[in-house]
Structures are given as C-alpha cells and as structure tokens.
Amino acid sequence: PEMPPPLAAAYAHAADPASGWRGSAAIAGYVVPPADGAALPPALVVRGERDFVDAASVEDWGPALGAVDFEVLPGCGHHGLLEDGDLYAAVWGEFWDAHD
C-alpha cells in the first residue's frame, strides 16, 4: 500500500540529524519500570502488525502497567493513525467505551 502523505513527509526528514530520529534501535531492550504498587488507570498498548515495536517488545509491559489491553492493527506499521485512521479510532473508541 501507498504510504500516507503526512507519513512520507515525516520520513523524508528522518535522515536529517536535526530531526532527532535515532532509528528503532533507540528502543531496543526498553523495559517499562514497575509501578511500585501505585494504582494505575487502564492502559491500551496499540501497535501495528508491521510495526518495529513487535510483540516481544511489549510482552513484559503488562505487569508494569497493571490493567492493560494490547491491540494489533492489521496491515499497519508504526503510524496506525495515519495508515488506517478509521480502525485506529475504532480501537480507541472501544477502549474508552469499556473504561468510561
């Protein structure tokens, strides 16, 4: 599928050091710090099916986040809002409906 124009424009500057882009290696091995027993609100972790943030990257986030739902957007990469805005809105809408 064709890359959405806003995403293509953003990636056009990815190689520019001034953009702050450091590549996906910047998050490799990231560990969510434990909540230290604090009561946390429900959380939703959304990633795309073709996202560089893969299942292994987020599988250990559950215990740290507490009540967490995980959703994978079929056919999307890292920018689900731009790639399939209707699906992205539906996933978030269902989450908010369930936790309102």
Side-chain angles (χ1 to χ4, degrees):
E2 186 176 325
M3 186 179 294
L7 186 56
Y11 278 146
H13 302 287
D16 179 1
S19 73
W21 172 254
R22 297 177 292 160
S24 59
I27 64 164
Y30 175 74
V31 176
V32 175
D36 295 328
L40 297 174
L44 177 62
V45 175
V46 179
R47 64 179 193 81
E49 177 182 28
R50 299 186 317 261
D51 203 328
F52 63 83
V53 178
D54 60 12
S57 299
V58 299
E59 66 187 6
D60 294 331
W61 292 10
L65 295 174
V68 63
D69 294 332
F70 294 91
E71 290 288 341
V72 177
L73 303 179
C76 292
H78 189 68
H79 302 280
L81 175 61
L82 297 176
E83 296 169 274
D84 191 339
D86 291 339
L87 175 60
Y88 189 87
V91 165
W92 277 102
E94 290 173 17
F95 176 77
W96 291 122
D97 287 346
H99 297 286
D100 186 15

